[in-house]
Amino acid sequence: MSQLERFRYHFTDDPQADAPPGPESVRGVGAPEGVDERSFNSAESAARFYLAEKLAVEEAPALREAVREDRPERVPDLVLSTERRQAGTGTTLVRFEQTRQEIPVFGAEVLVELDENQRLVSMDGRLGEVAGVDSVPELSGAEALERVRAATGTTVDAAALPPPTLTYVNRNDQWHLAWHLREVPAQLPENRREPGQRGHGLGASPREAFPLTGYLVDAHSGEILKSYGMSPTITVPIRLEGEDEVSARQRFHGSRQNGSFLLHDKWRQIATYDMDFADIDTAPPPTVAISSPKADFGADHRAGVSAHVNAERVEKYYRDQLFRNGIDDADMDLVSLVNCTYRFDGPGPEWFNAVWFNKRMWYGQVSEGGRLVSLAQHLVIIAHEMTHGVIETSSDLIYQDQSGALNESLADTMGVIITNYYEAPDAQDVGTWNWEIGSGMGGNGRPLRDLSDPPRTGDPDHMDDFLFTSSDNGGVHTNSNIHNKAMFNLLTSVDAGGRPVLKVEEWALMIYLALVRLLSESDFSDMRRALRDVTGTYLFGNPALLTAAQAAIDEAYDKVGISASA
């Protein structure tokens, strides 16, 4: 029995296409009867047409299976998941999930990219030919959860979880019907971190102490087949000001209510709250944003000002530079909570962490110079954590093994890019950049990670040193550094004359556009290919520059031993 079959298409790799092909040429024999661009009443219908034509000629049975003609609609087993327009390339990404007998197939999905004329730009997908498995479960979802409780030694409350759903999953060339349990706050013993081990090098966090985990439990035998981590009204704003954690005067946006000024920018949907050193595991979040009787917050709310200013910077970068409508690309509220404690890391008031958790930012604080200083002062950590939110609401890279390491690396990469955009002496000159994550926070004056020199923090920078482990979701915080080095290579790439191959803001856009088109189980090689694809679209009108940019991508990955995917 087959595993998931991979297929890809990009018009720049098609020797018969000198531009994105439309329906009249996708078959190569003229337009199908009654079909032309005007017949597409939606991006979904166009994407389904191209899928039907391309998959029908594939040799792999799993791919042909998705377009069988026993039902009137085309590609009947692919269900629309999302449809989003990418302002950076002017293209639309249509994402489908595969089902069989209306049951989803885990990890089986397809992404189709269309230009503004609904012509085919690219495809990327994994599909499976589900066979040899009974579609009727013998165990209930409640019984599946009981198997997880027993294996993890916990008493997870079913009422606190999303309802279990059935899915097909392939393991070792064998198909299984499984119960899919999501957001379970418990890990298998073999996947837990060793005592004292810290994923980010910071203190304990709720995301790490009770990491949300997905489980696939065989609906017939009860065997746990797989577990994986699950990460990371328009109102005119009022200009406010105040001191941040490093005593710098900052200007930012908020609102006014009942005579008070609030750290609540209702226009940009950014709000900052004060937990007042309450435990985030037991205390409910406050309902009113941090307030001041004056528009000048002075030095009374340094933590809140730092969190609010840095959240605004991250949101503004994603919106203005990468054309994303907020963290989730759907204008979600960006909520920050400062002065947090966490009882599993000590009694407080110190808590050495900052974390994206439950779609919010939570900030701890440490003692410095005789006072408590919030980790909200570190823009690079905030941008890293909020990028987990971007990934969670786009490609949703599974937080396990290479896809989890890629998740971490892309959060690091965007953290460094965003921070240097605001703080580097010359944001356009990468020679002036700080490539560190958490400068001085990793012990002996070293950072937590260094994209330019991973071995400096004891981490690998080549696939020859890839760490194979069940701990830390398959070593996601260690192996991420291999891809980090590839990102450093790319962002610093130069041509034969020593000039940057692309401007740094263009590389940033390419990385983001590749990030959002990944599949949930994409690996390092998939990111390499995704970068080549989006660059091919972006630079289609400049063949010489396209060749140079794709060569830079290949060299950046070759240097760290990440091969091109098949």
Side-chain angles (χ1 to χ4, degrees), residues 254-281:
S255 58
R256 187 175 183 180
Q257 180 177 319
N258 298 327
S260 295
F261 296 88
L262 305 178
L263 294 186
H264 189 178
D265 182 350
K266 297 181 180 179
W267 185 28
R268 295 174 178 82
Q269 298 172 245
I270 300 173
T272 306
Y273 300 82
D274 192 338
M275 287 289 288
D276 197 23
F277 305 107
D279 177 20
I280 68 176
D281 187 55

Side-chain angles (χ1 to χ4, degrees), residues 448-471:
L448 299 175
R449 290 178 297 286
D450 185 341
L451 273 68
S452 67
D453 185 13
R456 179 185 172 205
T457 55
D459 294 306
D461 63 357
H462 195 279
M463 289 298 290
D464 288 347
D465 299 313
F466 188 92
L467 176 65
F468 293 94
T469 177
S470 61
S471 181

Side-chain angles (χ1 to χ4, degrees), residues 280-478:
I280 68 176
D281 187 55
T282 58
T287 57
V288 179
I290 296 171
S291 65
S292 169
K294 299 180 180 179
D296 186 345
F297 279 59
D300 295 334
H301 299 282
R302 296 173 185 265
V305 168
S306 289
H308 200 74
V309 167
N310 284 330
E312 185 176 300
R313 287 173 172 172
V314 175
E315 195 277 343
K316 180 177 173 61
Y317 186 89
Y318 270 109
R319 190 176 297 272
D320 294 353
Q321 303 299 314
L322 303 177
F323 314 108
R324 186 176 181 85
N325 294 323
I327 296 301
D328 67 343
D329 206 19
D331 291 313
M332 74 179 292
D333 292 346
L334 184 48
V335 175
S336 300
L337 298 102
V338 298
N339 295 325
C340 302
T341 60
Y342 183 53
R343 61 194 176 100
F344 294 98
D345 196 44
E350 292 191 58
W351 177 43
F352 186 47
N353 217 322
V355 61
W356 176 266
F357 178 65
N358 283 346
K359 296 180 171 58
R360 299 174 179 178
M361 278 299 307
W362 309 78
Y363 296 100
Q365 50 286 321
V366 295
S367 180
E368 291 182 8
R371 69 179 181 90
L372 290 173
V373 178
S374 176
L375 269 70
Q377 67 176 302
H378 300 290
L379 175 58
V380 68
I381 291 177
I382 296 168
H384 167 105
E385 289 295 324
M386 290 183 177
T387 298
H388 280 308
V390 172
I391 295 169
E392 176 183 290
T393 53
S394 56
S395 53
D396 196 21
L397 287 165
I398 288 177
Y399 204 67
Q400 187 74 35
D401 302 324
Q402 244 190 84
S403 59
L406 182 58
N407 190 322
E408 278 296 324
S409 174
L410 291 172
D412 274 354
T413 302
M414 294 310 303
V416 165
I417 289 172
I418 293 171
T419 299
N420 283 288
Y421 176 81
Y422 290 104
E423 297 183 354
D426 183 352
Q428 304 302 316
D429 180 3
V430 293
T432 71
W433 278 26
N434 180 357
W435 297 94
E436 297 178 347
I437 302 290
S439 298
M441 299 171 70
N444 298 322
R446 293 177 301 180
L448 299 175
R449 290 178 297 286
D450 185 341
L451 273 68
S452 67
D453 185 13
R456 179 185 172 205
T457 55
D459 294 306
D461 63 357
H462 195 279
M463 289 298 290
D464 288 347
D465 299 313
F466 188 92
L467 176 65
F468 293 94
T469 177
S470 61
S471 181
D472 190 24
N473 294 102
V476 296
H477 290 99
T478 300

